Amino acid sequence: MARFASGDKVLVRKAYPPGHVRTPWYIRGKSGVIERICGEFGNPEELAYGRDGTPKQTLYRVRFAQNEVWDGYAENPKDTVDIEIYEHWLEPVA
Amino acid sequence: MSQHTHDHGHDHRHPPQPDIDSEPMGYYQIMGAALGELLIEKGVITADELRATIELIDSKSPEGGAKVVARAWTDREYKKRLLENGNATVDELGIEMPDTHLVVVENTDTVHNVIVCTLCSCYPRMLLGLPPDWYKAHAYRSRVVHEPRAVLGEFGTELPDDTEIRVHDSTADMRYLVLPRRPDGTEDMSEKELVELVTRDCMIGVTLPKAL
């Protein structure tokens, strides 16, 4: 069952665990909005070490405003970046 | 130096043409080769299966993606299906994407999309073939995500200032294809003629298709 729905505001966990992590550094600690639910997928942080990837994680596409991602973003303030992020990296924003 | 012809006796040495494997293998090349050999040795895959997979990937080219785009430009219902369910809709044209999920993102008069994989080099290979070297380069991957308009400018692509640029970072299980806008002045062209206008780079989103 997906924890978040399209349109929900979410915060990416600001964590730096070792291992094979698919959450880019530049987006950790940033907040965005769920663009869509992509489905459930094996957790790459497990799969990378030969394990079976369970429990599966819901994967989301999250849309971030570029001028909130980068200090001093110099281009169009309406620009966005969409990133695929697994559920265990996301926290709700009130 | 005189023109080299081959109707003379070979009493001199040609400078050797470098072979593709002349250079010592890098760390990851050795790891890749070792992994392949181990998988074969342990019977997980056969040498022929590995070869056939390489052959399959090498057989793909941007023409596949161009056919999808041209169909979407000429068939409203196809385009609707493509944006809703990428995999099933490209399959209608014989393009199978068994291991990844396709998300097609549409350029409009207000939105321009561009694709990157900041973590590695994820790319819709079944639709576009192997990625160009620049797509895999650190410079593209690190810069397009925070100064897309500047990078597009270096590719010769100037967009209106108020166009909203959407970067799509392929970090996980999705793969992306940009559906460019059909160029003005192509109203009389057939689907087959339109295929010729759709280039690899406009499906990555670093340029726009041009009417010939």
Side-chain angles (χ1 to χ4, degrees):
Chain A
M1 182 68 193
R3 184 180 181 195
F4 303 106
S6 287
D8 284 359
K9 197 166 185 200
V10 290
L11 177 72
V12 182
R13 280 173 44 219
K14 197 169 185 174
Y16 301 91
H20 178 86
V21 172
R22 296 286 190 89
T23 306
W25 280 57
Y26 72 86
I27 215 63
R28 299 183 199 180
K30 307 291 182 185
S31 58
V33 171
I34 303 286
E35 190 265 346
R36 75 178 74 178
I37 299 173
C38 302
E40 288 193 342
F41 294 89
N43 182 353
E45 293 162 32
E46 296 290 315
L47 291 171
Y49 298 95
R51 298 189 283 261
D52 66 1
T54 57
K56 285 192 170 185
Q57 288 288 330
T58 300
L59 180 68
Y60 301 88
R61 276 169 47 75
V62 185
R63 182 163 294 170
F64 301 87
Q66 287 279 40
N67 58 9
E68 290 182 23
V69 175
W70 309 102
D71 284 338
Y73 184 73
E75 300 188 356
N76 188 339
K78 289 188 297 183
D79 289 352
T80 56
V81 56
D82 289 8
I83 309 179
E84 296 156 50
I85 303 179
Y86 296 93
E87 187 168 276
H88 62 295
W89 275 90
L90 297 174
E91 292 169 355
V93 174
Chain B
M1 209 170 96
S2 64
Q3 182 85 25
H4 190 131
T5 57
H6 275 88
D7 53 2
H8 58 257
H10 265 92
D11 54 356
H12 65 277
R13 296 178 71 85
H14 290 261
Q17 178 181 319
D19 292 315
I20 193 161
D21 51 0
S22 298
E23 296 293 319
M25 287 171 88
Y27 176 81
Y28 290 105
Q29 283 174 301
I30 292 171
M31 193 192 282
L35 179 65
E37 285 176 17
L38 278 169
L39 289 170
I40 292 163
E41 207 173 294
K42 287 181 175 293
V44 179
I45 56 172
T46 66
D48 188 57
E49 284 167 346
L50 180 59
R51 177 209 58 74
T53 302
I54 294 168
E55 186 180 42
L56 173 72
I57 292 172
D58 283 349
S59 73
K60 304 298 173 187
S61 79
E63 195 187 352
K67 285 179 179 168
V68 170
V69 169
R71 174 67 57 90
W73 281 349
T74 52
D75 181 339
R76 193 182 295 267
E77 285 302 311
Y78 184 85
K79 178 175 133 180
K80 191 163 173 281
R81 291 199 297 282
L82 183 67
L83 295 172
E84 284 168 2
N85 185 344
N87 289 66
T89 311
V90 299
D91 195 75
E92 293 174 31
L93 296 182
I95 299 167
E96 293 180 21
M97 297 183 70
D99 302 319
T100 48
H101 294 249
L102 176 65
V103 174
V104 178
V105 289
E106 182 186 17
N107 288 351
T108 68
D109 55 356
T110 56
V111 174
H112 180 85
N113 296 281
V114 60
I115 310 303
V116 64
C117 173
T118 60
L119 298 178
C120 47
S121 56
C122 296
Y123 188 73
R125 291 167 187 234
M126 294 298 135
L127 285 161
L128 300 184
L130 293 171
D133 287 346
W134 58 257
Y135 184 86
K136 298 184 281 185
H138 183 260
Y140 177 76
R141 289 161 44 219
S142 60
R143 290 185 57 222
V144 79
V145 78
H146 77 97
E147 48 176 350
R149 198 174 291 269
V151 173
L152 263 53
E154 290 169 25
F155 280 104
T157 304
E158 302 292 340
L159 298 172
D161 288 342
D162 58 353
T163 298
E164 178 184 330
I165 299 184
R166 279 187 198 154
V167 179
H168 300 270
D169 190 353
S170 325
T171 49
D173 296 276
M174 305 292 118
R175 294 293 177 273
Y176 297 91
L177 182 78
V178 174
L179 174 59
R181 294 176 73 201
R182 181 170 171 170
D184 292 337
T186 61
E187 293 74 15
D188 297 331
M189 291 176 75
S190 69
E191 182 181 333
K192 204 174 168 188
E193 290 168 328
L194 289 167
V195 170
E196 304 296 319
L197 306 186
V198 186
T199 66
R200 174 193 73 194
D201 289 359
C202 73
M203 292 183 279
I204 301 173
V206 295
T207 191
L208 305 174
K210 295 159 188 75
L212 293 175

